Each structure stands twice: as structure tokens, then as C-alpha cells.
Amino acid sequence: EPTPPRPLAPSRDVDESAVRSPLGTDDGQRFQRGLIIHRLLVTLPNITPENRERVAAAWLARPVHGLDTGRRDAILKETLAVLNDPEFAAIFGPGSMAEVPITGVFGDQVMSGQVDRLLVTETEILVIDYKTNRPSPSTLADIPKIYLRQMALYRQALSQMFPGKPVKTALLWTDGPRLMVLPSTGL
């Protein structure tokens, strides 16, 4: 049988020859902050708002994370700023889903990915990807091309799954926090 083509991975650069692992030689320090914030944004929306800070602080204090008090406080502040922002209430509210696997077929290639947050409403589909870059880009032109490609692939796959329903993609920068809705064309 012919060898199947390499699956498209929306968050992986097409030209990337070697992927840097969070488990690489830097002991994961390069990725640790982002991975921790991401995990908190996945789990804390399931905790009642009045208990989130206490639960997150206890989780961050676990020795396995190796965080000093300053780093724990900064991560907690950044994460709670996202979750407590009224602009993002629907993103983390009832009916939204975290860590949703997405697949799509584009010609002879299969795409497999996972969206950070998905909200399907009566009128549209909203796909959110968390980004913890610091400083976060201030304009669309400053967004790394890999992120734009990633979100375009998610949009294309979801458009196939929900024909006729608009699919909106956005990057949620935790540094700020700020939501950047991406145009559906032109990038």
C-alpha cells in the first residue's frame, strides 16, 4: 500500500525540520509558563468563580511545578485576568468546550489538531487559541505566520463540519489580556 501523506498539524510549521520539545535540554523552562497557564485555562472554567483563585494557588504551589512565589503569583494574576475579564465570559461560559480535537481533509492531506476553546452558537462558530507570548503582538501584521496558518486550517476544517455557519477565529493573548479576531481572508 502507498505510504499515507504526513498529516497536517496546524500548530506545526510546514518548514520545521526539528521540533523543540518542552522536555528538551532547557528542562522545559522555555515552555513551562505557557503550559501552566494553558492548563489553568482548561480546568479553572469548571471551578466556581469564587473558588478559582484558591484552587489555582494550591495547584501552582505543588512542588512538581518548581515555581517560586513570584512566578506563582505572576501566573495566577495573568490567568485570573483572562478568566475574570467580562469580554471573555462567553468563551469560558456554559456551552464552550476546551481541548476539542479537530480533523479535516484537504485534497489528499488529512489535518489533525486540537483547538484550545470552541464555542458553537446558533449564529456562528468561535475558535480560540491561547497564546502566552510576551510581549504579545499589537497588530495583525506582527502575528507569527505559523499562528495564522494554524487558525486558517481550523477555520477551513470547521467550515466543512458546519456548512453555511460562519467560523470566526481568534487568538487570546494572555499578556494583556487581549482577544485578536482574525480576518477570514487576506492573511
Side-chain angles (χ1 to χ4, degrees):
E1 289 185 33
T3 303
R6 180 178 173 198
L8 286 172
S11 60
R12 185 169 296 149
D13 193 345
V14 176
D15 298 326
E16 136 187 316
S17 56
V19 177
R20 294 183 91 184
S21 168
L23 306 174
T25 58
D26 68 352
D27 293 329
Q29 293 301 309
R30 178 173 182 253
F31 295 97
Q32 183 186 35
R33 184 181 140 279
L35 291 171
I36 289 173
I37 290 172
H38 186 103
R39 176 54 43 208
L40 288 170
L41 290 174
V42 168
T43 58
L44 288 179
N46 298 322
I47 306 293
T48 57
E50 60 272 7
N51 291 320
R52 286 179 183 162
E53 184 171 358
R54 179 184 55 77
V55 168
W59 187 78
L60 289 167
R62 294 175 60 197
V64 69
H65 300 302
L67 299 171
D68 62 36
T69 303
R71 288 188 70 203
R72 283 194 311 257
D73 291 347
I75 288 170
L76 181 62
K77 180 180 176 183
E78 188 168 330
T79 304
L80 291 177
V82 171
L83 292 173
N84 294 334
D85 192 315
E87 180 184 354
F88 313 137
I91 295 169
F92 296 102
S96 69
M97 298 170 277
E99 300 292 310
V100 179
I102 300 289
T103 58
V105 178
F106 310 120
D108 64 347
Q109 286 200 291
V110 174
M111 184 270 311
S112 178
Q114 184 167 290
V115 299
D116 290 340
R117 205 84 192 171
L118 181 67
L119 179 61
V120 178
T121 70
E122 294 289 324
T123 58
E124 70 181 3
I125 310 296
L126 178 60
V127 182
I128 303 293
D129 199 65
Y130 313 136
K131 298 297 181 192
T132 57
N133 303 43
R134 291 174 134 187
S136 62
S138 56
T139 68
L140 290 172
D142 296 330
I143 297 173
K145 298 294 182 226
I146 182 66
Y147 296 168
L148 299 175
R149 177 182 172 274
Q150 172 187 11
M151 300 309 284
L153 287 170
Y154 289 154
R155 181 185 304 107
Q156 189 175 353
L158 285 161
S159 293
Q160 292 174 359
M161 290 180 224
F162 296 92
K165 193 174 263 196
V167 178
K168 187 187 318 182
T169 59
L171 298 174
L172 178 52
W173 302 101
T174 62
D175 180 33
R178 197 163 34 88
L179 186 70
M180 288 178 93
V181 177
L182 302 175
S184 58
T185 60
L187 291 177

